Amino acid sequence: MSEAVFHAPAATPVPIPLREILPWAIFAGLMLLLALYFVGAEEGATSIVPGMYVHEFVHDGRHLLGFPCH
């Protein structure tokens, strides 16, 4: 029994240039800072959104991350 075995050439990884990653890294950093603000500081005198809607929406997340709110 003879079978022909074909081997695919090994794929070599291509490096991604920094100029293509940098805008996405900055965007992700800004989104994380925005999320951190809403979870950690959106309450009381520093509130951007009137009312307690955002605070109640992220309330359990605040406790999970260790932010006091009571």
Side-chain angles (χ1 to χ4, degrees):
M1 178 167 23
S2 72
E3 293 182 24
V5 177
F6 296 102
H7 294 284
T12 57
V14 178
I16 301 172
L18 182 62
R19 66 180 173 270
E20 291 184 18
I21 295 175
L22 191 60
W24 290 105
I26 291 172
F27 176 71
L30 289 174
M31 291 295 108
L32 287 173
L33 284 174
L34 185 65
L36 183 64
Y37 168 76
F38 277 113
V39 171
E42 177 65 26
E43 168 181 38
T46 62
S47 180
I48 294 174
V49 180
M52 295 295 288
Y53 298 111
V54 174
H55 173 80
E56 292 301 325
F57 183 72
V58 297
H59 186 254
D60 292 337
R62 291 176 65 92
H63 290 296
L64 181 67
L65 295 173
F67 287 101
C69 64
H70 298 283

